[in-house]
Amino acid sequence: MHRPFFILTFLLAAASLGHADEGSRYAIAIHGGAGSAPTSFSKEANAERHASMKQALEIGVGILKEGGSSLDAVEAVVTFLEDDPQFNAGKGAVMNAAGGFELDASIMDGKDLSCGAVAGVTTVKNPIGLARKVMTETRHVLLSGPGADTFATEQEVATVEPSYFATPAAKKAWEAARARQQSQSAAPLESSHIIKGTVGCVALDQAGNLAAATSTGGLSNKQFGRVGDSPIVGAGTYADNRTCAVSCTGVGEEFIRRAIAYDIAAQMRYAKTSVEDAVETTLTERLKKGMGGIIAIDKDGTITMQFNTGGMPRAAADSSGRFDVLWAE
Ligand code: ASP
C-alpha cells in the first residue's frame, strides 16, 4: 500500500474505533445525602445503608449496560431509594415542624433540557416518578402542594396516606431536631444536623445522554411550606449534554442562593473547567464547610463525588468495570 494512503487508512480506522468505544460508554453515580460521618452511626446501620447503595447501583448499571436511557436509570435508582426508609426521601422522609411530611423531587434530561419537579407533595409514594410525569405530561416544570397531589391522582401514580411516612425513625429525628433547635434557636442551618440523607443519581447512557434526579423529605423540622433545593432545577439538580449532570445534597437554602447545580455546568461551559475542579471550587470557595455534597458526571463519563460535611454515602460505576460503594469504608 502507498505509504500516505496506508497512514490515512490507519488513522480513519483508529478514529472509528474510538467512536465505537465512545458509543458504548456509560457511567453512573449515586448519593445518599450529605451529613454526619459514618462513625456517628452503628455498624449495623452502616452495613444496611451500604447494602442498599450497592443494590441501587446494580439497578442503575443493569439499565445502562443493556442500552437503557440515563433518564430511566436515574428514575429507577431514586425510586428504589425512595422506598427504603433508611434515606430521607419517599418512605423515609423526615417530618416538618407541623408534624407532617412534604416531599420534593426533580428530574432532568440533558438531551433537550426537559425537566420536571414536584414540591411539598404529601400523598405521593414516589415523588421522582411524579416529577417525571410533570416533565412528560404537562407544559410546566414545577408543580407544588395540593396541585401536585391532585396531579398524582389524575396520573394514577401510587398514592399513600400521610401516615405511610410516619416511621418511628422520622418521629425520633423530629424530636431530636426540635430539641436542638429550641436550645439554639438562632443557630444557622447545618448539614451535620442531617441524620439521614436525601438521595440523588446522575448518569450517562450509551447514546451519550446525561440525566440527573434528586428526591428528599427536606430538612427535619423545616417550617411548614418550606421548599429546599432538591426540586429546584439549577439549584439541586441539573443536566445538559454539553457539560454535565449534577445532583446536590445539603442545606438547600445555600444551594438555591448560589444556583449551585447550574453554576457547575456554567463553569464547565464558559470557563472550560473540568467537572472535578468545578465541583471542588464550589465546595471549597462557594459553600461554607459543612453545607453539603455534590455528585456529577461529565459528557465523557468522568465521575466526581465530593462533600464538605462529615460524610456522604455514595456509589459509582462505569463501563470500564468500576463498581464502588463508598460508605463506612
Ligand atoms: N437539600 C435538601 C433540602 O435542603 C436536604 C438534603 O440534601 O439533605 O431540602
Side-chain angles (χ1 to χ4, degrees):
M1 202 186 291
H2 197 253
R3 204 178 154 82
F5 183 69
F6 171 77
I7 292 171
L8 185 68
T9 316
F10 176 78
L11 286 175
L12 283 174
S16 78
L17 261 182
H19 277 293
D21 244 350
E22 235 165 62
S24 57
R25 189 182 301 164
Y26 64 82
I28 182 165
I30 305 171
H31 72 73
S36 312
T39 46
S40 326
F41 303 95
S42 71
K43 255 195 155 147
E44 295 72 35
N46 283 336
E48 273 179 44
R49 212 175 292 197
H50 186 281
S52 272
M53 292 295 287
K54 181 165 179 270
Q55 229 180 309
L57 191 60
E58 278 161 1
I59 291 170
V61 167
I63 293 171
L64 295 170
K65 210 179 201 163
E66 291 305 309
S69 72
S70 51
L71 208 55
D72 284 346
V74 297
E75 183 186 353
V77 165
V78 169
T79 302
F80 172 80
L81 294 172
E82 282 178 340
D83 289 339
D84 184 336
Q86 295 181 89
F87 298 93
N88 173 19
K91 174 75 181 157
V94 296
M95 274 164 114
N96 66 18
F101 298 88
E102 295 169 288
L103 283 66
D104 302 334
S106 64
I107 190 163
M108 184 158 187
D109 186 350
K111 185 167 56 182
D112 55 6
L113 307 185
S114 56
C115 47
V118 292
V121 291
T122 59
T123 59
V124 180
K125 182 170 171 283
N126 294 106
I128 200 65
L130 190 63
R132 186 156 177 187
K133 293 266 186 208
V134 172
M135 174 174 126
T136 56
E137 309 303 320
T138 77
R139 293 176 289 127
H140 308 297
V141 163
L142 171 62
L143 292 184
S144 73
D149 279 318
T150 304
F151 176 63
T153 315
E154 284 164 11
Q155 290 295 314
E156 297 179 358
V157 304
T159 53
V160 289
E161 288 299 317
S163 59
Y164 166 80
F165 303 109
T167 60
K171 190 99 201 290
K172 211 172 139 199
W174 184 60
E175 275 156 8
R178 279 165 73 89
R180 198 176 45 239
Q181 282 167 25
Q182 266 157 19
S183 66
Q184 19 168 288
S185 53
L189 290 166
E190 262 184 49
S191 179
S192 58
H193 296 158
I194 298 170
I195 313 239
K196 49 181 189 164
T198 291
V199 302
C201 182
V202 290
L204 171 75
D205 63 28
Q206 295 190 40
N209 291 315
L210 287 162
T214 313
S215 182
T216 189
L219 296 179
S220 194
N221 205 33
K222 64 187 178 182
Q223 186 168 333
F224 175 52
R226 177 264 188 190
V227 175
D229 61 316
S230 309
I232 309 295
V233 167
T237 303
Y238 201 71
D240 180 346
N241 277 4
R242 290 172 296 189
T243 51
C244 61
V246 184
S247 173
C248 303
T249 167
V251 179
E253 285 70 8
E254 300 300 317
F255 286 78
I256 295 173
R257 273 185 195 114
R258 296 175 180 80
I260 293 294
Y262 175 74
D263 188 66
I264 287 162
Q267 289 179 60
M268 294 178 67
R269 183 149 178 229
Y270 303 122
K272 308 291 170 216
T273 309
S274 71
V275 71
E276 292 106 327
D277 289 352
V279 171
E280 195 189 327
T281 305
T282 301
L283 284 168
T284 52
E285 292 173 20
R286 299 199 185 150
L287 288 165
K288 276 198 273 172
K289 201 165 166 40
M291 285 301 144
I294 299 167
I295 56 169
I297 293 184
D298 74 7
K299 59 185 169 44
D300 301 318
T302 306
I303 297 170
T304 189
M305 306 185 287
Q306 302 180 41
F307 49 97
N308 65 15
T309 56
M312 179 174 80
R314 59 206 182 280
D318 66 23
S319 44
S320 75
R322 175 179 181 182
F323 190 97
D324 295 329
V325 182
L326 302 163
W327 181 242
E329 59 275 34

mmCIF file of all heavy atoms in Angstrom, residues 31-35 88 94 104 189 191 194-199 214-220 222 226-231 236 248-256 291-293, ligand 1:
data_model
loop_
_atom_site.group_PDB
_atom_site.id
_atom_site.type_symbol
_atom_site.label_atom_id
_atom_site.label_comp_id
_atom_site.label_asym_id
_atom_site.label_seq_id
_atom_site.Cartn_x
_atom_site.Cartn_y
_atom_site.Cartn_z
ATOM 1 N N HIS A 31 -25.835 9.438 45.306
ATOM 2 C CA HIS A 31 -25.544 9.859 46.685
ATOM 3 C C HIS A 31 -26.728 9.526 47.579
ATOM 4 O O HIS A 31 -27.869 9.454 47.110
ATOM 5 C CB HIS A 31 -25.162 11.340 46.786
ATOM 6 C CG HIS A 31 -26.293 12.307 46.577
ATOM 7 N ND1 HIS A 31 -27.278 12.506 47.507
ATOM 8 C CD2 HIS A 31 -26.579 13.138 45.547
ATOM 9 C CE1 HIS A 31 -28.128 13.417 47.056
ATOM 10 N NE2 HIS A 31 -27.739 13.810 45.859
ATOM 11 N N GLY A 32 -26.394 9.317 48.859
ATOM 12 C CA GLY A 32 -27.440 9.035 49.838
ATOM 13 C C GLY A 32 -27.485 10.128 50.885
ATOM 14 O O GLY A 32 -27.824 9.880 52.041
ATOM 15 N N GLY A 33 -27.097 11.359 50.465
ATOM 16 C CA GLY A 33 -27.258 12.506 51.347
ATOM 17 C C GLY A 33 -26.018 12.871 52.137
ATOM 18 O O GLY A 33 -25.384 12.026 52.763
ATOM 19 N N ALA A 34 -25.673 14.164 52.093
ATOM 20 C CA ALA A 34 -24.524 14.657 52.864
ATOM 21 C C ALA A 34 -24.958 14.864 54.303
ATOM 22 O O ALA A 34 -26.084 15.280 54.557
ATOM 23 C CB ALA A 34 -24.035 15.975 52.286
ATOM 24 N N GLY A 35 -24.072 14.577 55.239
ATOM 25 C CA GLY A 35 -24.411 14.763 56.665
ATOM 26 C C GLY A 35 -23.279 14.273 57.539
ATOM 27 O O GLY A 35 -22.107 14.513 57.244
ATOM 28 N N ASN A 88 -33.722 9.798 53.523
ATOM 29 C CA ASN A 88 -34.695 10.877 53.679
ATOM 30 C C ASN A 88 -35.317 11.222 52.325
ATOM 31 O O ASN A 88 -35.020 12.256 51.725
ATOM 32 C CB ASN A 88 -33.993 12.084 54.310
ATOM 33 C CG ASN A 88 -34.886 13.308 54.344
ATOM 34 O OD1 ASN A 88 -36.112 13.205 54.224
ATOM 35 N ND2 ASN A 88 -34.268 14.469 54.484
ATOM 36 N N VAL A 94 -38.310 12.915 56.289
ATOM 37 C CA VAL A 94 -38.332 13.482 57.648
ATOM 38 C C VAL A 94 -39.569 14.378 57.828
ATOM 39 O O VAL A 94 -40.205 14.775 56.853
ATOM 40 C CB VAL A 94 -37.040 14.293 57.941
ATOM 41 C CG1 VAL A 94 -35.825 13.386 57.917
ATOM 42 C CG2 VAL A 94 -36.885 15.461 56.971
ATOM 43 N N ASP A 104 -40.132 16.604 48.159
ATOM 44 C CA ASP A 104 -39.681 17.354 46.973
ATOM 45 C C ASP A 104 -38.849 16.447 46.065
ATOM 46 O O ASP A 104 -38.074 15.622 46.558
ATOM 47 C CB ASP A 104 -38.740 18.492 47.385
ATOM 48 C CG ASP A 104 -39.340 19.498 48.357
ATOM 49 O OD1 ASP A 104 -40.566 19.660 48.372
ATOM 50 O OD2 ASP A 104 -38.547 20.136 49.082
ATOM 51 N N LEU A 189 -28.574 26.895 59.823
ATOM 52 C CA LEU A 189 -28.775 25.515 59.407
ATOM 53 C C LEU A 189 -27.424 24.896 59.100
ATOM 54 O O LEU A 189 -26.547 25.530 58.528
ATOM 55 C CB LEU A 189 -29.632 25.494 58.139
ATOM 56 C CG LEU A 189 -31.086 25.895 58.315
ATOM 57 C CD1 LEU A 189 -31.717 26.151 56.961
ATOM 58 C CD2 LEU A 189 -31.827 24.788 59.051
ATOM 59 N N SER A 191 -25.472 21.109 57.829
ATOM 60 C CA SER A 191 -25.713 19.793 57.278
ATOM 61 C C SER A 191 -25.368 18.668 58.261
ATOM 62 O O SER A 191 -25.869 17.556 58.147
ATOM 63 C CB SER A 191 -24.925 19.689 56.005
ATOM 64 O OG SER A 191 -25.069 18.507 55.463
ATOM 65 N N ILE A 194 -28.155 16.811 59.683
ATOM 66 C CA ILE A 194 -28.948 15.912 58.852
ATOM 67 C C ILE A 194 -28.569 14.481 59.218
ATOM 68 O O ILE A 194 -27.417 14.073 59.069
ATOM 69 C CB ILE A 194 -28.699 16.191 57.347
ATOM 70 C CG1 ILE A 194 -29.131 17.630 57.018
ATOM 71 C CG2 ILE A 194 -29.453 15.193 56.487
ATOM 72 C CD1 ILE A 194 -28.723 18.100 55.643
ATOM 73 N N ILE A 195 -29.538 13.759 59.747
ATOM 74 C CA ILE A 195 -29.220 12.424 60.257
ATOM 75 C C ILE A 195 -29.264 11.405 59.133
ATOM 76 O O ILE A 195 -28.437 10.526 59.027
ATOM 77 C CB ILE A 195 -30.207 12.039 61.371
ATOM 78 C CG1 ILE A 195 -30.307 13.217 62.317
ATOM 79 C CG2 ILE A 195 -29.829 10.723 62.000
ATOM 80 C CD1 ILE A 195 -29.975 13.097 63.698
ATOM 81 N N LYS A 196 -30.277 11.511 58.286
ATOM 82 C CA LYS A 196 -30.263 10.603 57.146
ATOM 83 C C LYS A 196 -30.500 11.411 55.888
ATOM 84 O O LYS A 196 -31.053 12.503 55.934
ATOM 85 C CB LYS A 196 -31.267 9.476 57.295
ATOM 86 C CG LYS A 196 -32.630 9.902 57.684
ATOM 87 C CD LYS A 196 -33.494 8.687 57.802
ATOM 88 C CE LYS A 196 -34.932 9.110 57.977
ATOM 89 N NZ LYS A 196 -35.855 8.050 57.729
ATOM 90 N N GLY A 197 -30.060 10.851 54.797
ATOM 91 C CA GLY A 197 -29.883 11.697 53.634
ATOM 92 C C GLY A 197 -30.891 11.609 52.527
ATOM 93 O O GLY A 197 -31.523 10.588 52.266
ATOM 94 N N THR A 198 -30.964 12.738 51.891
ATOM 95 C CA THR A 198 -31.591 12.916 50.591
ATOM 96 C C THR A 198 -30.937 11.932 49.614
ATOM 97 O O THR A 198 -29.807 11.504 49.847
ATOM 98 C CB THR A 198 -31.281 14.375 50.189
ATOM 99 O OG1 THR A 198 -32.012 15.219 51.055
ATOM 100 C CG2 THR A 198 -31.561 14.697 48.760
ATOM 101 N N VAL A 199 -31.603 11.634 48.508
ATOM 102 C CA VAL A 199 -30.973 10.750 47.524
ATOM 103 C C VAL A 199 -30.895 11.437 46.161
ATOM 104 O O VAL A 199 -31.723 12.283 45.841
ATOM 105 C CB VAL A 199 -31.711 9.397 47.392
ATOM 106 C CG1 VAL A 199 -31.763 8.707 48.744
ATOM 107 C CG2 VAL A 199 -33.105 9.554 46.824
ATOM 108 N N THR A 214 -33.086 13.998 41.833
ATOM 109 C CA THR A 214 -32.874 14.196 43.267
ATOM 110 C C THR A 214 -34.235 14.097 43.967
ATOM 111 O O THR A 214 -35.237 14.560 43.420
ATOM 112 C CB THR A 214 -32.276 15.605 43.536
ATOM 113 O OG1 THR A 214 -31.191 15.837 42.643
ATOM 114 C CG2 THR A 214 -31.774 15.745 44.970
ATOM 115 N N SER A 215 -34.255 13.497 45.165
ATOM 116 C CA SER A 215 -35.520 13.379 45.897
ATOM 117 C C SER A 215 -35.248 13.508 47.392
ATOM 118 O O SER A 215 -34.250 12.993 47.899
ATOM 119 C CB SER A 215 -36.165 12.019 45.603
ATOM 120 O OG SER A 215 -37.401 11.911 46.270
ATOM 121 N N THR A 216 -36.149 14.190 48.110
ATOM 122 C CA THR A 216 -35.914 14.427 49.533
ATOM 123 C C THR A 216 -37.204 14.655 50.307
ATOM 124 O O THR A 216 -38.236 15.013 49.723
ATOM 125 C CB THR A 216 -35.006 15.672 49.721
ATOM 126 O OG1 THR A 216 -34.611 15.765 51.089
ATOM 127 C CG2 THR A 216 -35.721 16.962 49.335
ATOM 128 N N GLY A 217 -37.091 14.486 51.622
ATOM 129 C CA GLY A 217 -38.149 14.915 52.525
ATOM 130 C C GLY A 217 -37.815 16.297 53.068
ATOM 131 O O GLY A 217 -38.562 16.861 53.862
ATOM 132 N N GLY A 218 -36.658 16.836 52.656
ATOM 133 C CA GLY A 218 -36.245 18.176 53.102
ATOM 134 C C GLY A 218 -35.493 18.116 54.418
ATOM 135 O O GLY A 218 -34.962 17.076 54.798
ATOM 136 N N LEU A 219 -35.436 19.243 55.113
ATOM 137 C CA LEU A 219 -34.729 19.294 56.389
ATOM 138 C C LEU A 219 -35.690 18.934 57.515
ATOM 139 O O LEU A 219 -36.848 19.363 57.504
ATOM 140 C CB LEU A 219 -34.167 20.703 56.632
ATOM 141 C CG LEU A 219 -33.099 21.170 55.637
ATOM 142 C CD1 LEU A 219 -32.658 22.583 55.988
ATOM 143 C CD2 LEU A 219 -31.880 20.235 55.633
ATOM 144 N N SER A 220 -35.181 18.175 58.492
ATOM 145 C CA SER A 220 -36.024 17.756 59.605
ATOM 146 C C SER A 220 -36.508 18.990 60.365
ATOM 147 O O SER A 220 -35.747 19.926 60.614
ATOM 148 C CB SER A 220 -35.204 16.845 60.525
ATOM 149 O OG SER A 220 -36.054 16.195 61.409
ATOM 150 N N LYS A 222 -38.368 21.326 59.336
ATOM 151 C CA LYS A 222 -38.430 22.527 58.480
ATOM 152 C C LYS A 222 -39.786 23.208 58.666
ATOM 153 O O LYS A 222 -40.783 22.547 59.014
ATOM 154 C CB LYS A 222 -38.232 22.127 57.017
ATOM 155 C CG LYS A 222 -39.349 21.230 56.472
ATOM 156 C CD LYS A 222 -39.070 20.707 55.074
ATOM 157 C CE LYS A 222 -40.186 19.782 54.602
ATOM 158 N NZ LYS A 222 -39.942 19.223 53.267
ATOM 159 N N ARG A 226 -41.926 25.056 53.595
ATOM 160 C CA ARG A 226 -40.560 25.322 53.132
ATOM 161 C C ARG A 226 -40.215 24.406 51.954
ATOM 162 O O ARG A 226 -40.510 23.206 51.958
ATOM 163 C CB ARG A 226 -39.589 25.090 54.284
ATOM 164 C CG ARG A 226 -38.109 25.260 53.931
ATOM 165 C CD ARG A 226 -37.441 23.947 53.611
ATOM 166 N NE ARG A 226 -35.987 24.083 53.466
ATOM 167 C CZ ARG A 226 -35.194 23.128 52.994
ATOM 168 N NH1 ARG A 226 -35.705 21.959 52.639
ATOM 169 N NH2 ARG A 226 -33.899 23.325 52.891
ATOM 170 N N VAL A 227 -39.577 24.952 50.954
ATOM 171 C CA VAL A 227 -39.104 24.151 49.815
ATOM 172 C C VAL A 227 -37.588 24.331 49.732
ATOM 173 O O VAL A 227 -37.094 25.454 49.802
ATOM 174 C CB VAL A 227 -39.777 24.606 48.499
ATOM 175 C CG1 VAL A 227 -39.191 23.861 47.311
ATOM 176 C CG2 VAL A 227 -41.288 24.392 48.568
ATOM 177 N N GLY A 228 -36.876 23.218 49.591
ATOM 178 C CA GLY A 228 -35.413 23.273 49.503
ATOM 179 C C GLY A 228 -34.936 23.318 48.065
ATOM 180 O O GLY A 228 -35.685 23.680 47.147
ATOM 181 N N ASP A 229 -33.701 22.929 47.872
ATOM 182 C CA ASP A 229 -33.091 22.994 46.531
ATOM 183 C C ASP A 229 -33.434 21.782 45.658
ATOM 184 O O ASP A 229 -33.344 21.863 44.426
ATOM 185 C CB ASP A 229 -31.564 23.075 46.654
ATOM 186 C CG ASP A 229 -30.996 21.846 47.365
ATOM 187 O OD1 ASP A 229 -31.576 21.415 48.397
ATOM 188 O OD2 ASP A 229 -29.989 21.295 46.891
ATOM 189 N N SER A 230 -33.807 20.666 46.307
ATOM 190 C CA SER A 230 -33.942 19.419 45.541
ATOM 191 C C SER A 230 -34.933 19.501 44.376
ATOM 192 O O SER A 230 -34.687 18.912 43.325
ATOM 193 C CB SER A 230 -34.299 18.254 46.471
ATOM 194 O OG SER A 230 -33.403 18.214 47.544
ATOM 195 N N PRO A 231 -36.063 20.226 44.510
ATOM 196 C CA PRO A 231 -36.969 20.308 43.359
ATOM 197 C C PRO A 231 -36.687 21.540 42.496
ATOM 198 O O PRO A 231 -37.479 21.826 41.583
ATOM 199 C CB PRO A 231 -38.339 20.429 44.028
ATOM 200 C CG PRO A 231 -38.059 21.205 45.267
ATOM 201 C CD PRO A 231 -36.667 20.828 45.709
ATOM 202 N N GLY A 236 -30.602 22.238 42.911
ATOM 203 C CA GLY A 236 -30.298 20.897 43.416
ATOM 204 C C GLY A 236 -30.056 19.871 42.331
ATOM 205 O O GLY A 236 -29.484 18.805 42.584
ATOM 206 N N CYS A 248 -27.352 17.541 43.946
ATOM 207 C CA CYS A 248 -26.777 18.115 45.167
ATOM 208 C C CYS A 248 -27.513 17.628 46.411
ATOM 209 O O CYS A 248 -28.660 17.192 46.339
ATOM 210 C CB CYS A 248 -26.897 19.637 45.136
ATOM 211 S SG CYS A 248 -26.122 20.386 43.701
ATOM 212 N N THR A 249 -26.848 17.777 47.547
ATOM 213 C CA THR A 249 -27.451 17.466 48.840
ATOM 214 C C THR A 249 -26.833 18.371 49.899
ATOM 215 O O THR A 249 -25.647 18.699 49.812
ATOM 216 C CB THR A 249 -27.236 15.981 49.225
ATOM 217 O OG1 THR A 249 -27.574 15.819 50.605
ATOM 218 C CG2 THR A 249 -25.813 15.499 48.999
ATOM 219 N N GLY A 250 -27.630 18.761 50.872
ATOM 220 C CA GLY A 250 -27.114 19.627 51.927
ATOM 221 C C GLY A 250 -28.150 20.666 52.309
ATOM 222 O O GLY A 250 -29.347 20.456 52.105
ATOM 223 N N VAL A 251 -27.672 21.775 52.846
ATOM 224 C CA VAL A 251 -28.580 22.834 53.288
ATOM 225 C C VAL A 251 -29.119 23.568 52.063
ATOM 226 O O VAL A 251 -28.455 24.404 51.450
ATOM 227 C CB VAL A 251 -27.846 23.792 54.250
ATOM 228 C CG1 VAL A 251 -28.781 24.916 54.693
ATOM 229 C CG2 VAL A 251 -27.326 23.027 55.462
ATOM 230 N N GLY A 252 -30.348 23.230 51.695
ATOM 231 C CA GLY A 252 -30.926 23.658 50.421
ATOM 232 C C GLY A 252 -30.887 25.152 50.185
ATOM 233 O O GLY A 252 -30.665 25.600 49.052
ATOM 234 N N GLU A 253 -31.088 25.946 51.264
ATOM 235 C CA GLU A 253 -31.113 27.395 51.104
ATOM 236 C C GLU A 253 -29.804 27.883 50.478
ATOM 237 O O GLU A 253 -29.797 28.777 49.615
ATOM 238 C CB GLU A 253 -31.342 28.065 52.474
ATOM 239 C CG GLU A 253 -32.780 27.984 52.995
ATOM 240 C CD GLU A 253 -33.231 26.580 53.431
ATOM 241 O OE1 GLU A 253 -32.401 25.653 53.486
ATOM 242 O OE2 GLU A 253 -34.432 26.410 53.714
ATOM 243 N N GLU A 254 -28.695 27.294 50.895
ATOM 244 C CA GLU A 254 -27.386 27.707 50.371
ATOM 245 C C GLU A 254 -27.220 27.317 48.900
ATOM 246 O O GLU A 254 -26.573 28.028 48.123
ATOM 247 C CB GLU A 254 -26.252 27.064 51.194
ATOM 248 C CG GLU A 254 -26.276 27.441 52.666
ATOM 249 C CD GLU A 254 -26.150 28.941 52.877
ATOM 250 O OE1 GLU A 254 -25.325 29.579 52.205
ATOM 251 O OE2 GLU A 254 -26.911 29.481 53.710
ATOM 252 N N PHE A 255 -27.816 26.212 48.533
ATOM 253 C CA PHE A 255 -27.711 25.750 47.137
ATOM 254 C C PHE A 255 -28.618 26.576 46.227
ATOM 255 O O PHE A 255 -28.283 26.825 45.066
ATOM 256 C CB PHE A 255 -28.057 24.258 47.045
ATOM 257 C CG PHE A 255 -26.971 23.357 47.575
ATOM 258 C CD1 PHE A 255 -26.788 23.179 48.943
ATOM 259 C CD2 PHE A 255 -26.108 22.689 46.709
ATOM 260 C CE1 PHE A 255 -25.783 22.358 49.438
ATOM 261 C CE2 PHE A 255 -25.092 21.857 47.185
ATOM 262 C CZ PHE A 255 -24.931 21.695 48.563
ATOM 263 N N ILE A 256 -29.754 27.016 46.759
ATOM 264 C CA ILE A 256 -30.659 27.848 45.951
ATOM 265 C C ILE A 256 -30.012 29.212 45.706
ATOM 266 O O ILE A 256 -29.955 29.697 44.577
ATOM 267 C CB ILE A 256 -32.027 28.030 46.644
ATOM 268 C CG1 ILE A 256 -32.759 26.682 46.746
ATOM 269 C CG2 ILE A 256 -32.887 29.033 45.886
ATOM 270 C CD1 ILE A 256 -34.048 26.729 47.560
ATOM 271 N N MET A 291 -21.773 22.361 54.572
ATOM 272 C CA MET A 291 -23.034 22.688 53.904
ATOM 273 C C MET A 291 -23.568 21.596 52.981
ATOM 274 O O MET A 291 -24.734 21.603 52.632
ATOM 275 C CB MET A 291 -22.896 23.999 53.110
ATOM 276 C CG MET A 291 -22.886 25.207 53.998
ATOM 277 S SD MET A 291 -24.406 25.285 54.979
ATOM 278 C CE MET A 291 -23.805 25.942 56.496
ATOM 279 N N GLY A 292 -22.711 20.689 52.507
ATOM 280 C CA GLY A 292 -23.305 19.652 51.661
ATOM 281 C C GLY A 292 -22.344 18.879 50.781
ATOM 282 O O GLY A 292 -21.126 18.854 50.988
ATOM 283 N N GLY A 293 -22.936 18.234 49.777
ATOM 284 C CA GLY A 293 -22.176 17.400 48.857
ATOM 285 C C GLY A 293 -22.778 17.434 47.464
ATOM 286 O O GLY A 293 -23.934 17.843 47.289
HETATM 287 N N1 ASP B 1 -31.007 19.565 50.159
HETATM 288 C C1 ASP B 1 -32.121 19.070 50.925
HETATM 289 C C2 ASP B 1 -33.001 20.219 51.313
HETATM 290 O O1 ASP B 1 -32.500 21.253 51.698
HETATM 291 C C3 ASP B 1 -31.733 18.312 52.140
HETATM 292 C C4 ASP B 1 -30.600 17.312 51.993
HETATM 293 O O2 ASP B 1 -29.935 17.259 50.969
HETATM 294 O O3 ASP B 1 -30.375 16.546 52.920
HETATM 295 O O4 ASP B 1 -34.206 20.060 51.305
#
